[in-house]
């Protein structure tokens, strides 16, 4: 069974601060996605990474896929209150059809 | 607008009621999924359909019954639910291709409360 772990579980920071959240597994994934979910809504896809070592930037968000394709990080620069939400990573292996989701990091950005 | 629409957004039902959740995807995808999200628990995969065929049933109780009449529509029929079934039910779709990567696109979910 492939498992994804995310850390930290909860994070509360002030607006303007930087932060990094992590997604780790002992399994190799062919691709990995990051989602943000707001209360009462479905997860919204932020990015997909597919190549080991890949770095993608989405405005103030920087995503990195580990060289061995077992882990990923999300770095947010100068966090804003609108970044508040549950950040989920999900991976898909080369063999399985389904996505494995991590438990998420719940981020609160305070004004 | 994510291309995946779920109705209703909110549902309150008694334990003896029968209701159905509906999901429609406008993305031309070949796979659809039902997930359950309870408070403080990770997303739990319930059912998977590929090309309208159910390929996975993750030990879900029989009081949940999925139906996929075509590749664009997915239903979850509910009957004699328990209060612990109260949760956010999320539908997702993806395009599954051999050798390719896939991304899941989610609907906004149905917030179900069983009383």
């Amino acid at each position: 069974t492939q498992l994804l772990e995310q850390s930290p579980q909860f994070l509360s920071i002030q607006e303007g601060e930087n932060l990094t959240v992590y997604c780790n597994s002992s399994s190799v994934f062919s691709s990995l996605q990051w989602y943000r979910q707001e209360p009462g809504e479905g997860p919204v896809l932020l990015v997909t990474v597919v190549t080991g070592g890949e770095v993608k930037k989405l405005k103030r968000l920087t995503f990195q896929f580990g060289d061995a394709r077992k882990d990923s990080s999300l770095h947010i620069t100068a966090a804003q209150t609108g970044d508040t939400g549950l950040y989920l990573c999900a991976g898909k292996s080369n063999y399985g059809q389904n996505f494995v989701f991590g438990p998420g990091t719940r981020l609160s950005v305070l004004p | 607008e994510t291309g995946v629409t779920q109705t209703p957004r909110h549902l309150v039902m008694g334990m003896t009621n029968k209701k159905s959740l509906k999901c429609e995807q406008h993305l031309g995808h070949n796979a659809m999924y039902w997930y359950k999200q309870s408070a403080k628990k990770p997303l739990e995969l319930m059912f998977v359909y590929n090309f309208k065929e159910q390929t996975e049933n993750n030990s879900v109780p029989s009081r949940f019954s999925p139906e996929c009449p075509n590749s664009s529509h997915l239903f979850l029929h509910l009957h004699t639910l328990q209060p612990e079934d109260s949760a956010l039910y999320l539908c997702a779709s993806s395009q599954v291709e051999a050798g390719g990567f896939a991304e899941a696109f989610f609907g906004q979910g149905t917030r179900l409360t069983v009383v």
Side-chain angles (χ1 to χ4, degrees):
Chain A
T1 302
Q2 296 175 300
L3 292 175
L4 278 168
E5 299 177 344
Q6 291 190 245
S7 61
Q9 187 177 0
F10 299 97
L11 184 59
S12 182
I13 61 170
Q14 294 295 134
E15 199 169 23
E17 293 183 358
N18 302 332
L19 66 114
T20 303
V21 298
Y22 301 92
C23 175
N24 297 286
S25 176
S26 57
S27 303
V28 175
F29 291 95
S30 62
S31 67
L32 194 140
Q33 289 83 39
W34 283 94
Y35 296 82
R36 179 171 64 221
Q37 184 180 19
E38 298 185 13
E41 302 289 332
V44 175
L45 179 67
L46 296 174
V47 79
T48 297
V49 286
V50 297
T51 306
E54 182 177 5
V55 176
K56 280 192 173 179
K57 291 194 173 184
L58 186 66
K59 296 184 180 179
R60 295 176 293 102
L61 278 60
T62 302
F63 304 85
Q64 184 161 8
F65 202 12
D67 291 339
R69 289 184 290 140
K70 293 182 179 181
D71 56 86
S72 182
S73 64
L74 160 58
H75 181 80
I76 301 179
T77 304
Q80 299 176 356
T81 55
D83 296 326
T84 293
L86 178 67
Y87 287 81
L88 295 161
C89 66
K92 183 179 177 301
S93 74
N94 286 322
Y95 310 103
Q97 297 181 16
N98 305 321
F99 300 92
V100 175
F101 278 85
T105 292
R106 191 165 296 280
L107 172 66
S108 295
V109 182
L110 306 174
Chain B
E1 174 58 52
T2 64
V4 180
T5 305
Q6 288 187 245
T7 54
R9 289 293 310 277
H10 301 273
L11 178 62
V12 179
M13 59 185 289
M15 289 189 283
T16 58
N17 290 160
K18 289 185 179 181
K19 296 287 184 182
S20 296
L21 309 185
K22 180 182 176 182
C23 177
E24 183 175 0
Q25 60 100 356
H26 315 278
L27 302 169
H29 289 165
N30 57 16
M32 296 186 76
Y33 311 79
W34 279 116
Y35 286 88
K36 176 184 178 182
Q37 190 175 39
S38 305
K40 301 179 182 179
K41 292 177 75 173
L43 278 168
E44 300 173 60
L45 179 64
M46 299 176 71
F47 301 104
V48 181
Y49 278 82
N50 279 287
F51 297 100
K52 302 186 299 178
E53 298 296 321
Q54 183 175 317
T55 57
E56 188 150 339
N57 174 341
N58 275 3
S59 303
V60 180
S62 60
R63 56 186 184 269
F64 295 91
S65 175
E67 178 189 0
C68 188
N70 56 63
S71 57
S72 298
H73 294 85
L74 186 64
F75 295 89
L76 187 62
H77 303 299
L78 315 171
H79 64 96
T80 59
L81 294 192
Q82 304 298 312
E84 59 264 29
D85 296 322
S86 299
L88 182 68
Y89 288 84
L90 291 160
C91 173
S93 71
S94 70
Q95 182 65 18
V96 178
E97 296 172 349
F101 68 90
E103 301 164 325
F105 291 84
F106 284 85
Q108 292 176 298
T110 295
R111 171 66 62 186
L112 174 67
T113 303
V114 182
V115 297

